[in-house]
Amino acid sequence: PVDLINSGIADKAKGYADKMTFQTKLGPGLAGMVHGMSRGKGRLWRLVVPFVRTPYNIIVSAFEFSPLAFAQNDVQKALSNGGRDAAVAYARMGIGTTIMGSALALAAAGMVTGAGPDDENERRLWLAQGRQPYSIKIGDKWVQYNRFDPMGTIFGIAADLYDLAGYINDGDISKVGSALVTSIALNVTDKTFLQGVTDFSEAVSKPDRFMARYVNGFAATAVPNIAAQSARWMDPYQREARNFLDTVKSRIPVMREQLAKRIGITGDPVAENSATGLTMGAKVTPAQDNPLIDAMLRLGVSKGMPSRDIVIGKVRRELTTEDYGPMAQFVQKARFDALTPLTQSPRFQALQQGSPEAARALLEQGWDAIGSRARMAYIFQHPDVMQRAQAKGTAKSLAAKYQEQGR
């Protein structure tokens, strides 16, 4: 009989099992850092980075399936050993490179997405087409692939590289390296296991935009995640959560449905496309065909939702969440009802071909003019909206005054 322990077979089997489940032990330097995060004040960092070993091994495994594998010590060691180890290393790099090539071809055909637009308005338009970050189009559905690591990471890096290549001028080779680094960073930080790091860095770098959302979301994690997932599965719509209490409600079944529906760029409520066990945790959204959105993205028309503020007696007041939704729905419907037939007309399509700048200016002017008239018409038909905005503004002013006096 074979002595499994003394022959080393058991150790090799354990090492292979750890590698396949991304549980390989961390190196001394990284292990020491994780140990420091578990002691004293370092424990606070574990709230931001709760998991280290599995995410690190997933990322390392993904790079083993790419030309970048040559830079890894384990791969260099395998290549120097020769034989089976070198053959496996070369095979992984070949498979990964082939997959990256396929992803680039699919991205060029519009069948694969990367991180998506960074501009907030452009991103709303992009999402309204049914697209999702790091997704592949299968039939009439967009299916997220970034949950299927390590190949999801390879696919995502290739898709981001294709998107970033559009911003590199002909012959400007110096930017290729930075584009590669950016594509890797975009893909890695999108992973669910690094969401805490991403959210924290956004809150620190752009506190005016993300700090309140980060604090509210962090505090709301007191509600168990299983309850939050159940709430999303039971509710077909996304909800407006603009403060801490609303964020907590959005994670509790039934109570979530008390919040106002989030209105999308087209004026319709935004659907909640939660991942399910049937899709192994990947979100699936139906592809949407909208002529106006297609034209706006093609021409670079970056327009979004109406402002939440109205001017009352030269004073800017913010609408309540309950009033903003119906107003936004009314304004966006008016815009799409008027401009969609325009983009489908032969004259406009000829204008796009002959003078894209003129076509873009026409859409921008139409969007602003129709939105302004629709907004005024809605407020005229609903005078109580102004009263509630005035009351909200007065309450905020009094709260700020009392807070100042209390200092």
Side-chain angles (χ1 to χ4, degrees):
V2 178
D3 188 345
L4 295 179
I5 296 177
N6 294 327
S7 66
I9 294 177
D11 290 339
K12 289 183 178 180
K14 176 67 164 56
Y16 182 79
D18 286 344
K19 187 173 183 63
M20 291 299 99
T21 55
F22 311 113
Q23 295 302 306
T24 303
K25 290 183 179 180
L26 301 175
L30 196 56
M33 184 188 74
V34 174
H35 182 68
M37 291 169 57
S38 303
R39 300 169 62 88
K41 295 181 180 179
R43 293 178 181 178
L44 294 175
W45 282 106
R46 295 310 294 265
L47 298 174
V48 179
V49 192
F51 310 108
V52 177
R53 181 189 294 187
T54 302
Y56 175 79
N57 284 317
I58 288 175
I59 294 168
V60 169
S61 180
F63 288 140
E64 288 179 355
F65 286 87
S66 77
L68 299 175
F70 284 107
Q72 291 184 276
N73 292 331
D74 289 346
V75 173
Q76 291 175 0
K77 183 179 178 181
L79 295 177
S80 64
N81 289 339
R84 179 184 177 279
D85 291 345
V88 170
Y90 280 123
R92 284 178 174 166
M93 284 186 277
I95 291 170
T97 303
T98 302
I99 290 173
M100 287 186 77
S102 301
L104 284 168
L106 289 169
M111 301 293 290
V112 164
T113 66
D118 187 53
D119 178 78
E120 186 177 358
N121 290 334
E122 185 183 355
R123 191 173 185 84
R124 280 201 188 98
L125 294 167
W126 187 78
L127 292 171
Q129 292 182 315
R131 289 186 172 94
Q132 303 181 86
Y134 301 110
S135 299
I136 182 169
K137 192 175 184 183
I138 301 176
D140 61 347
K141 299 285 194 301
W142 286 97
V143 182
Q144 281 191 326
Y145 59 76
N146 63 337
R147 300 296 294 272
F148 304 106
D149 279 312
M151 292 306 161
T153 298
I154 298 297
F155 230 70
I157 290 173
D160 282 330
L161 256 182
Y162 176 81
D163 290 341
L164 291 167
Y167 297 97
I168 300 176
N169 298 325
D170 294 340
D172 195 354
I173 304 298
S174 62
K175 292 185 179 179
V176 174
S178 61
L180 177 60
V181 173
T182 302
S183 67
I184 293 172
L186 285 171
N187 196 270
V188 169
T189 55
D190 185 74
K191 302 298 181 184
T192 54
F193 47 70
L194 289 178
Q195 199 62 51
V197 179
T198 304
D199 291 345
F200 179 76
S201 62
E202 284 183 340
V204 172
S205 61
K206 299 178 182 178
D208 55 326
R209 286 186 59 190
F210 298 112
M211 183 58 77
R213 187 180 70 179
Y214 176 76
V215 173
N216 290 340
F218 186 77
T221 55
V223 179
N225 199 43
I226 189 172
Q229 290 180 346
S230 299
R232 288 193 293 269
W233 289 338
M234 294 167 61
D235 186 6
Y237 301 108
Q238 294 183 22
R239 301 285 171 168
E240 289 282 0
R242 296 179 59 80
N243 54 50
F244 170 69
L245 184 58
D246 286 350
T247 305
V248 172
K249 281 185 176 181
S250 71
R251 295 173 60 87
I252 300 175
V254 182
M255 290 187 70
R256 172 187 172 91
E257 296 174 30
Q258 298 173 6
L259 301 173
K261 296 175 184 175
R262 179 172 296 166
I263 302 301
I265 194 74
T266 62
D268 296 314
V270 180
E272 178 64 74
N273 299 295
S274 296
T276 66
L278 298 176
T279 56
M280 293 183 287
K283 289 185 179 181
V284 180
T285 55
Q288 304 289 342
D289 183 23
N290 188 294
L292 176 55
I293 291 179
D294 291 344
M296 292 175 72
L297 287 173
R298 191 183 312 114
L299 295 168
V301 178
S302 179
K303 294 290 184 179
M305 301 295 289
S307 171
R308 289 181 172 270
D309 297 337
I310 60 174
V311 177
I312 305 175
K314 297 184 179 181
V315 178
R316 189 174 293 274
R317 299 295 191 188
E318 184 182 13
L319 294 174
T320 65
T321 303
E322 293 73 22
D323 285 329
Y324 177 74
M327 186 274 288
Q329 192 167 26
F330 182 86
V331 171
Q332 296 304 94
K333 288 286 187 184
R335 283 168 165 163
F336 274 79
D337 289 347
L339 295 176
T340 299
L342 171 67
T343 58
Q344 295 175 307
S345 67
R347 291 183 63 184
F348 183 83
Q349 292 175 6
L351 185 63
Q352 284 187 93
Q353 297 295 326
S355 179
E357 296 81 4
R360 181 175 61 193
L362 180 61
L363 278 185
E364 288 176 341
Q365 292 169 10
W367 184 275
D368 292 340
I370 294 166
S372 179
R373 289 198 296 267
R375 184 184 178 88
M376 290 177 62
Y378 182 84
I379 293 175
F380 180 78
Q381 295 170 15
H382 303 82
D384 51 329
V385 168
M386 295 184 67
Q387 296 172 4
R388 284 190 288 270
Q390 179 73 42
K392 179 181 179 181
T394 302
K396 274 190 171 182
S397 298
L398 288 173
K401 180 179 179 181
Y402 289 136
Q403 185 177 12
E404 185 66 28
Q405 290 177 347
R407 289 178 180 175

